[in-house]
Amino acid sequence: MIDDDELIAAARAAARTSYSPYSGFAVGAALGFADGGIVTGTNIENASYGLALCAETVAVARAMAEGRRGGLLAVAVTGPGEAPLTPCGRCRQVLNELAQLGETDPQILCVGPDEVVRLPLSALLPHAFGPAAMT
Ligand code: THU
C-alpha cells in the first residue's frame, strides 16, 4: 500500500512538468496501485484551448499504455489554488474506467495548500456508468 505522503509528493513533482501556458494552472496527478507502483500525469494544454488534457487523464492514459487494467487504490491531485483540487467531471469518468476494470473504489486525495480532502471515487461519481454496464 502506498503512503499518502509519497503519492502527494509524486503528484506535486508531476505538476512541475505541466505545460499550461494558457491557464497558468499547473496540475499534478499520481495514481497509486496495489503492486506499489505509482504513475503520474500533468496537464498538457494546447493553443486550441479546448483540447487541453487534464493531469488525471494523462496519468490514466500512461498507466493503461503500460498495460495496467486495475489495481487502482488511490489518486492524489494537486493544483496551485487555495482550495483542495477535486478532479473535473471528465477525469472522474476516466478514472472510473480504470477503477471499475479492477473492481476497486480508489481514494481520491484532493490536495490543497493546508488540507487534504479524501473521498472515495464513488462519492465523487455516484451511480457511475462504466465497463460493468457494458456486459
Ligand atoms: N485541470 C486538470 O488537469 N485537472 C482537473 O481535474 C481540473 C483542471 C487542468 C485543465 C487546464 O489545463 C487547467 O487545469 C485549468 O482548467
Side-chain angles (χ1 to χ4, degrees), residues 2-14 30 38 76-78 109 111 116:
I2 290 150
D3 184 53
D4 283 3
D5 291 340
E6 190 186 347
L7 204 61
I8 291 167
R12 287 205 170 108
I38 293 178
V77 190
T78 68
L109 309 180
V111 181
V116 177

Side-chain angles (χ1 to χ4, degrees), residues 18-29 41-46 49 51-58 77-80 85-92 95:
S18 169
Y19 175 68
S20 46
Y22 307 107
S23 71
F25 196 84
V27 181
T42 189
N43 53 329
I44 308 293
E45 297 186 346
N46 191 281
Y49 291 3
L51 302 183
L53 300 174
C54 287
E56 304 91 313
T57 291
V58 169
V77 190
T78 68
L85 197 153
T86 52
C88 81
R90 183 175 189 269
C91 287
R92 295 176 196 200
L95 288 165

Side-chain angles (χ1 to χ4, degrees), residues 1 9 15 19 22 39 75 92 95-96 98 101 111-112 114 123 127:
M1 183 60 196
Y19 175 68
Y22 307 107
V39 178
V75 179
R92 295 176 196 200
L95 288 165
N96 179 68
L98 185 52
L101 283 177
V111 181
D114 310 313
H127 308 287

Side-chain angles (χ1 to χ4, degrees), residues 106-131:
Q107 293 292 315
I108 312 299
L109 309 180
C110 307
V111 181
D114 310 313
E115 60 171 330
V116 177
V117 174
R118 171 196 278 274
L119 292 163
L121 180 60
S122 61
L124 288 169
L125 190 69
H127 308 287
F129 174 80

